[in-house]
Amino acid sequence: MPKNKIIIPEERILNKIILIRDEKVILDVHLAEFYSVETRVLKQAVRRNFDRFPDDFMYELTEDEIDDVVSQNVIPHKKYFGGATPYAFTEAGVAMLSSVLKSTTAVEINIAIVRTFVALRKVALNYKDIMMKIEEMKAENDEKFDEIFNALEHLLEPPPTPKIPPIGYKTSKEKS
């Protein structure tokens, strides 16, 4: 591996991927940190190529979303954004950034980020498969438990006492 290659640990990237509008995104401030550029430089490059970033690639956060991001401790305070409204980049938006930020470093970092998004998606798919199998097992076992429960209930019922006439001689008290 060449010495000039910059590696960002997958864990660091994962810690910056957040859920907004039911999508996994990375905020512009975190991407700028990865690329070692100022956020304003990243935003300027995006604004110059705005047509490459439709709403499903990138969007500006609303005030409520900014408050949510702050309350989730993703960022320490609103001032962290420097008064600007932050952009949230989806996986497709991050991939598009490599065509806007043309440095070798930006391309390498984009590859690492996209690979992390893909790994996250694979984990989510595996999770869904596991949950489906658990639901199947639960349904299967619920029927079996119903049968076992019914059998136990039957066993716990006291057996009916048989009406057998007493054996032996009747005493004088019983004769009357």
Side-chain angles (χ1 to χ4, degrees), residues 6-18 24-36 42 89-98 101 105-121:
I6 296 173
I7 305 284
I8 298 175
E10 189 175 284
E11 183 180 330
R12 222 175 118 204
I13 297 169
L14 278 171
N15 288 336
K16 301 300 182 186
I17 297 174
I18 59 175
K24 292 175 182 75
V25 297
I26 300 181
L27 299 178
D28 56 7
V29 292
H30 297 138
L31 287 168
E33 180 184 315
F34 290 147
Y35 300 132
S36 300
L42 179 111
F89 290 84
T90 64
E91 179 182 349
V94 170
M96 185 57 73
L97 275 173
S98 65
L101 305 170
T105 303
V107 172
E108 290 171 6
I109 290 170
N110 275 16
I111 290 169
I113 293 170
V114 169
R115 282 183 176 152
T116 303
F117 269 111
V118 169
L120 203 55
R121 194 170 39 251

Side-chain angles (χ1 to χ4, degrees), residues 3-4 8-9 17 26 28 50 55 70 76 91 98 119 128 133 135 142 144 157 161-162 169-170:
K3 289 183 181 180
N4 64 348
I8 298 175
I17 297 174
I26 300 181
D28 56 7
F50 214 68
D55 291 343
V70 172
E91 179 182 349
S98 65
K128 285 180 185 176
K133 287 182 184 187
E135 289 299 321
D142 279 352
K144 290 178 183 174
E157 289 177 14
T161 53
Y169 298 101
K170 290 188 181 182

Side-chain angles (χ1 to χ4, degrees), residues 1-2 7-8 35 50 52 66 70 104 110 121 130 134 154 159 164 176:
M1 184 178 293
I7 305 284
I8 298 175
Y35 300 132
F50 214 68
R52 294 183 184 201
I66 293 170
V70 172
T104 307
N110 275 16
R121 194 170 39 251
I130 290 169
I134 288 172
H154 179 71
I164 302 174
S176 12

Side-chain angles (χ1 to χ4, degrees), residues 117-133:
F117 269 111
V118 169
L120 203 55
R121 194 170 39 251
K122 284 180 183 177
V123 168
L125 288 174
N126 287 340
Y127 176 78
K128 285 180 185 176
D129 288 345
I130 290 169
M131 287 308 296
M132 283 176 47
K133 287 182 184 187

Side-chain angles (χ1 to χ4, degrees), residues 42-99:
L42 179 111
K43 285 181 154 189
Q44 186 177 44
V46 169
R47 278 191 213 104
R48 286 182 181 154
N49 297 280
F50 214 68
D51 58 325
R52 294 183 184 201
F53 294 93
D55 291 343
D56 58 330
F57 282 35
M58 178 210 69
Y59 51 85
E60 283 188 318
L61 298 185
T62 65
E63 280 300 316
D64 288 341
E65 289 168 338
I66 293 170
D67 291 339
D68 286 344
V69 168
V70 172
S71 71
Q72 293 172 21
N73 294 319
V74 174
I75 57 160
H77 195 274
K78 281 184 181 183
K79 291 179 185 175
Y80 189 73
F81 294 123
T85 305
Y87 291 148
F89 290 84
T90 64
E91 179 182 349
V94 170
M96 185 57 73
L97 275 173
S98 65
S99 69

